[in-house]
Amino acid sequence: MRKTITNLALVIAGVMMSACATNPQAEPQYSNDVDQAAMFKEYIAIRDFPVRTAPTMEADIASTFLTGDRFIANLNLDPSLDWRKIELQNQDIGFVFGLPVVLAE
């Protein structure tokens, strides 16, 4: 099971990196709504990533998560989005590019 999760994480990371490299100036797509049905769940970061103050690479970095960090958040997991609005348990809100997390088991 762990190998499957690791392989899935590597595939997701590769897809995200190739999307960034091929179209870094694309018009950002993001969800303004966090996933209300999901509410707060525990996630694990599968790569280092910043949480930005707006859905653009030029926005200030509000916080950073490192690979393996566990955190509780309300996060829209829609795979069609480039940017996701994230609400942390401490009520901080920011934006994350791609899908740098998996649900903790």
Side-chain angles (χ1 to χ4, degrees):
M1 181 68 173
R2 183 172 291 280
K3 187 173 183 177
T4 301
I5 292 173
T6 302
N7 288 342
L8 177 61
L10 291 173
V11 168
I12 291 170
V15 168
M16 289 186 307
M17 283 189 254
S18 65
C20 291
T22 58
N23 199 2
Q25 297 299 326
E27 184 67 28
Q29 296 177 2
Y30 69 93
S31 169
N32 197 28
D33 299 320
V34 289
D35 187 353
Q36 294 303 319
M39 298 307 292
F40 289 94
K41 293 186 178 181
E42 185 177 14
Y43 295 94
I44 301 171
I46 58 172
R47 64 174 169 86
D48 297 356
F49 68 94
V51 176
R52 298 197 177 264
T53 57
T56 174
M57 292 294 190
E58 291 79 27
D60 291 337
I61 295 174
S63 63
T64 301
F65 287 94
L66 303 177
T67 303
D69 281 352
R70 290 178 166 263
F71 59 95
I72 296 175
N74 189 358
L75 178 65
N76 187 329
L77 296 178
D78 182 346
S80 69
L81 300 172
D82 292 336
W83 287 91
R84 289 169 178 77
K85 186 173 183 180
I86 182 171
E87 179 182 3
L88 300 175
Q89 195 172 29
N90 66 4
Q91 299 183 353
D92 284 350
I93 294 176
F95 294 87
V96 176
F97 184 79
L99 189 56
V101 300
V102 292
L103 279 169
E105 293 184 21

